[in-house]
Amino acid sequence: MAELLVQTGLNALYAAAYMSLIAVGLVLIFGVMGIINFAHGELFMLGAYVVVALYADFQVPYVLVAALGLVFVGCVGVAMEWAMFRRLRDNPLGGLVASIGFLMILQALVSMGFGVRMAHVPPVTQEVIIFSERVRLPVQRLIVILAAIGFLTALWAFLTKTRFGWALRASAQDQEAAALQGISINQTAGIAMFIGASLAGIAGALTAPLISVNPHMGHSVIVAAFIVIIVGGVGSLEGAVLAAVIYAFVHTFVTTFADGVIADVVGLLLMLVVLIIKPTGLFGTADRA
Amino acid sequence: MLLEMKRASVNYGSVSAIRDISLAVPEGGIVTIIGGNGAGKTTTLRAISGLARVGAGEIHFNGERIDKLSVDKIVGRGIAHVPEGRRVFPDLTVEENLRTGAFLRRDKPAVEADLESVYGRFSRLRERRKQLAKTMSGGEQQMLAIGRALMSKPKLLLLDEPSMGLAPVIVEDIARIIEEIKGQGVPVVLVEQNAELALDLADYAYVLETGTLALEGPAAELHDNAHVRAAYLGV
């Protein structure tokens, strides 16, 4: 039993890792631009398909592919900002609708290019760290966990130690006052989109060898990401990370000890309970919610 | 003239906020804009800093037309705007707020020196440098907002209702600070509902009424003007 708990804990840690990469990006984009990016799950999917295209089909070294996935999806994010969100800046509902449209376009393009069936990604490493007979951690999962810790730490350092980091937080808190300091909203929105999208992209690239890659894989993570954001408090990055960890542990444990459908229900219940007890989320403040 | 506004109008949708306002700010003085609620004082400042778009008329700063520039470009030209309600960044620390004010500056040693001089002027800010701005009192936040504006090393400072909601003793502090800023050669455009304070501090004054210019003149003269005394000074 103890071994099963430890193993489930490791599984949950892995789920929390990629979930927080996705949720933090979504929160960052919402904070700076006030736009709910429904296409965020598809950015995750694009990251996975970069691996399918370059690693599975052309055997480009995996590390290089992951880096390319990060940059490529980040650039898609910048393009989204420029082509859609910038033009709909005074119209958050329009931004949301545009992102839903873009989500469908991405799904259609990937389906046309790669087919709707699950894409096969050969394992990057078969190595497994064996703690005991029933406690094992595949190295690919360990990579995801370490990468998430690394990227989130880097993001934290960027936001708290650099002038563009201050600028991003300032425009998330008061866009007009930020403009009065000479901070261009076009610039901060572009940076927020690049970071948010590239984090979703790297999450997709890192998990591609471990999950079923298909054009509609964005769906499941976007629902989870929204639960995480609401639980954590809309607009709070640290809330998103903490809520991702809580959600991943709850979801993974319920999946293991009951089943996946019940786990989804429990996840939504978790969101409901938080909304009833603390409508602003665990870390949210009233004015952002 | 450092700043010249020529027959500027601003509309919000179909509502006219200011009409045909002309004003001038010389080097090194305090110009005040007084008037009641909704007279268009805040809109006038917002037009200068680019937050409100001028529908008709022109604004020139240092000989350059600026009314078509984006807000961040106007800030880059040397205009710092302390908005109504202070608008400090609530979840940034005091020091992060101040450094944000220097966002466009690349002269790092001079920024550090200016940070020291802001801390020298506002010792409360130095004591609270690591504290989040939202935990500070209204007077401290006003000082932070002014300090943040000074960090951009402005050629012109726009102050919107710096005395609003502050205790009289704090208002005196703010008045002293505004005079110090003038003493350092930075011209100030001061918008105030507290006309007494504004006319005491200013060299020249404009009176706005329902979006148009009603009166202008040297502050001392307006202070003795019968209409101003009756309408704004309550005597």
Side-chain angles (χ1 to χ4, degrees):
Chain A
M1 190 62 190
E3 285 187 320
L4 181 59
L5 286 178
V6 173
Q7 179 62 56
T8 311
L10 286 176
N11 296 349
L13 203 58
Y14 154 74
Y18 77 84
M19 196 61 76
S20 38
L21 285 177
I22 297 167
V24 159
L26 205 50
V27 170
L28 192 68
I29 291 167
F30 179 78
V32 173
M33 303 165 64
I35 279 175
I36 298 171
N37 179 25
F38 262 89
H40 211 66
E42 278 56 41
L43 296 174
F44 170 73
M45 179 269 286
L46 273 189
Y49 270 94
V50 170
V51 175
V52 171
L54 297 178
Y55 177 70
D57 296 354
F58 289 103
Q59 284 94 42
V60 178
Y62 181 71
V63 175
L64 186 61
V65 172
L68 279 174
L70 177 126
V71 174
F72 170 70
V73 180
C75 291
V76 171
V78 172
M80 286 169 73
E81 194 280 321
W82 181 81
M84 307 190 303
F85 298 148
R86 181 169 300 190
R87 283 145 229 289
L88 294 165
R89 189 162 293 152
D90 301 322
N91 183 354
L93 194 62
L96 183 146
V97 173
S99 76
I100 294 175
F102 191 66
L103 157 180
M104 294 173 182
I105 293 172
L106 286 181
Q107 283 183 357
L109 286 177
V110 171
S111 301
M112 283 161 65
F114 296 90
V116 290
R117 293 225 318 270
M118 200 182 122
H120 177 68
V121 177
V124 175
T125 163
Q126 302 273 36
E127 283 196 46
V128 175
I129 301 169
I130 299 172
F131 294 101
S132 75
E133 184 61 25
R134 293 176 60 192
V135 180
R136 293 151 182 264
L137 179 64
V139 169
Q140 180 71 25
R141 288 191 169 208
L142 181 65
I143 292 171
V144 175
I145 294 168
L146 294 179
I149 293 171
F151 280 114
L152 293 176
T153 309
L155 176 65
W156 192 254
F158 169 76
L159 288 173
T160 54
K161 306 274 183 251
T162 71
R163 65 190 264 275
F164 275 104
W166 294 321
L168 231 56
R169 285 158 64 214
S171 44
Q173 288 167 34
D174 188 335
Q175 201 176 99
E176 198 171 272
L180 288 178
Q181 314 314 315
I183 296 165
S184 144
I185 176 63
N186 286 344
Q187 214 170 31
T188 49
I191 295 172
M193 262 324 273
F194 182 84
I195 295 175
S198 64
L199 289 179
I202 193 70
L206 291 172
T207 51
L210 295 164
I211 56 176
S212 68
V213 175
N214 66 72
H216 300 97
M217 63 192 273
H219 265 322
S220 55
V221 299
I222 198 75
V223 173
F226 275 115
I227 295 175
V228 160
I229 286 168
I230 290 166
V231 169
V234 175
S236 165
L237 292 171
E238 55 272 50
V241 173
L242 182 73
V245 173
I246 293 172
Y247 176 82
F249 270 80
V250 169
H251 195 272
T252 311
F253 273 86
V254 176
T255 306
T256 307
F257 292 100
D259 70 63
V261 177
I262 294 180
D264 286 345
V265 173
V266 171
L268 288 165
L269 274 178
L270 182 68
M271 177 176 79
L272 272 181
V273 169
V274 170
L275 279 178
I276 291 166
I277 296 172
K278 194 165 184 298
T280 55
L282 298 178
F283 276 76
T285 49
D287 54 332
R288 297 293 309 171
Chain B
M1 284 296 152
L2 180 65
L3 179 91
E4 262 184 294
M5 190 177 226
K6 297 175 182 166
R7 308 202 58 168
S9 300
V10 173
N11 301 318
Y12 294 125
S14 60
V15 182
S16 158
I18 57 172
R19 278 185 316 282
D20 262 349
I21 303 271
S22 297
L23 55 84
V25 180
E27 298 273 2
I30 300 180
V31 168
T32 187
I33 304 172
I34 58 176
N37 252 331
K41 309 186 297 292
T42 293
T43 302
T44 306
L45 287 196
R46 290 173 66 86
I48 296 170
S49 61
L51 289 174
R53 286 288 134 195
V54 172
E58 295 180 7
I59 301 171
H60 293 255
F61 181 68
N62 255 338
E64 181 196 9
R65 187 166 175 188
I66 58 165
D67 52 277
K68 302 285 186 235
L69 298 178
S70 62
V71 180
D72 52 292
K73 294 278 191 311
I74 293 174
V75 176
R77 298 294 192 274
I79 297 180
H81 181 173
V82 180
E84 189 177 9
R86 326 185 224 289
R87 307 279 288 270
V88 296
F89 301 113
D91 290 314
L92 295 190
T93 65
V94 167
E95 183 149 330
E96 286 170 341
N97 263 282
L98 291 174
R99 288 186 182 282
T100 309
F103 178 73
L104 290 177
R105 293 176 60 183
R106 311 314 320 251
D107 48 341
K108 237 178 157 215
V111 170
E112 297 306 314
D114 285 351
L115 187 64
E116 270 312 300
S117 95
V118 168
Y119 280 146
R121 179 172 297 165
F122 307 103
S123 52
R124 296 301 292 273
L125 298 186
R126 190 199 297 276
E127 288 162 26
R128 292 166 185 242
R129 63 204 294 172
K130 300 285 179 216
Q131 227 170 291
L132 294 184
K134 66 180 173 192
T135 64
M136 308 220 297
S137 73
E140 289 164 348
Q141 288 191 15
Q142 187 62 60
M143 289 172 194
L144 178 56
I146 294 174
R148 181 179 67 179
L150 292 176
M151 286 301 292
S152 70
K153 212 167 190 164
K155 298 192 180 84
L156 174 67
L157 184 64
L158 313 177
L159 289 176
D160 196 346
E161 303 266 9
S163 77
M164 191 169 65
L166 300 182
V169 54
I170 311 286
V171 173
E172 279 172 34
D173 283 348
I174 301 278
R176 184 180 47 77
I177 289 158
I178 294 171
E179 280 186 321
E180 280 174 24
I181 293 169
K182 176 195 171 182
Q184 289 174 351
V186 179
V188 176
V189 179
L190 173 66
V191 154
E192 260 303 335
Q193 286 213 47
N194 184 342
E196 184 76 54
L197 172 78
L199 291 175
D200 275 352
L201 285 171
D203 304 299
Y204 200 85
Y206 294 88
V207 181
L208 292 193
E209 279 170 10
T210 60
T212 56
L213 204 55
L215 265 177
E216 66 174 284
E221 272 176 35
L222 285 197
H223 196 276
D224 298 329
N225 178 289
H227 173 68
V228 172
R229 291 179 75 81
Y232 301 107
L233 298 175
V235 285

